[in-house]
Amino acid sequence: MALLRRIFSGSSTIVQAQYSSIRLNSTLTSPKLFVSGLSRYTSDENLKKAFEQFGNLTEAKVITDRATGRSKGFGFVSYETIEEAEKAREGMNAKFLDGWVIFVDPAKPSMPRPPPPPPQDPMNFGITTNKTVGWTGR
């Protein structure tokens, strides 16, 4: 029982060594992070200021609506190394930024977009003809 108590309390050096090696093997595979829960008024500059304390930022981008130019409520930050990104993830997840609680997760690779549909015939105005076999239309 004392062994279990020592293992679960974290006082065992073997468990601490194993735990620290697990922490070094980060779940991040890329130095890019997805930040959700942003205020509609958060700018690229505010996002950069909040995350630059954790390392060398290469990008801080708030995604905006094309029509209104306002934030969509999420963005991305990229660091030079995965270790810096892991520190930022631990330091900023579930913290306040511009009055809103933000969440920081690993960014997923972007999915390729499907090809656009083939162009319509300019002479076709949406009217289709009946192509039933044997029908002459007379």
Side-chain angles (χ1 to χ4, degrees):
M1 190 66 166
L3 176 63
L4 288 176
R5 193 174 314 123
R6 190 165 20 139
I7 288 172
F8 289 118
S9 70
S11 62
S12 172
T13 57
I14 295 170
V15 172
Q16 285 176 350
Q18 289 175 346
Y19 181 71
S20 65
S21 69
I22 291 170
R23 296 290 295 162
L24 292 176
N25 295 333
S26 171
T27 58
L28 292 177
T29 57
S30 163
K32 190 169 188 176
L33 298 172
F34 172 73
V35 184
S36 60
L38 294 175
S39 165
R40 297 272 181 198
Y41 303 105
T42 300
S43 65
D44 291 348
E45 190 61 33
N46 288 357
L47 190 63
K48 182 178 180 180
K49 285 179 186 176
F51 280 85
E52 67 188 358
Q53 62 184 326
F54 299 102
N56 296 326
L57 275 176
T58 58
E59 177 189 32
K61 181 73 177 156
V62 174
I63 305 304
T64 56
D65 184 84
R66 289 181 190 172
T68 63
R70 291 176 59 187
S71 167
K72 286 186 152 189
F74 66 93
F76 296 93
V77 291
S78 297
Y79 287 91
E80 289 183 0
T81 66
I82 292 176
E83 291 78 18
E84 292 171 338
E86 183 65 36
K87 284 194 311 187
R89 181 179 175 201
E90 291 173 3
M92 289 299 292
N93 192 33
K95 300 292 188 218
F96 281 93
L97 178 63
D98 293 337
W100 287 61
V101 177
I102 62 169
F103 299 97
V104 183
D105 296 302
K108 296 178 183 173
S110 59
M111 301 287 285
R113 292 185 178 187
Q120 294 278 334
D121 181 15
M123 297 307 291
N124 184 359
F125 300 105
I127 302 170
T128 58
T129 58
N130 188 347
K131 298 184 181 180
T132 306
V133 176
W135 184 71
T136 61
R138 288 187 198 188

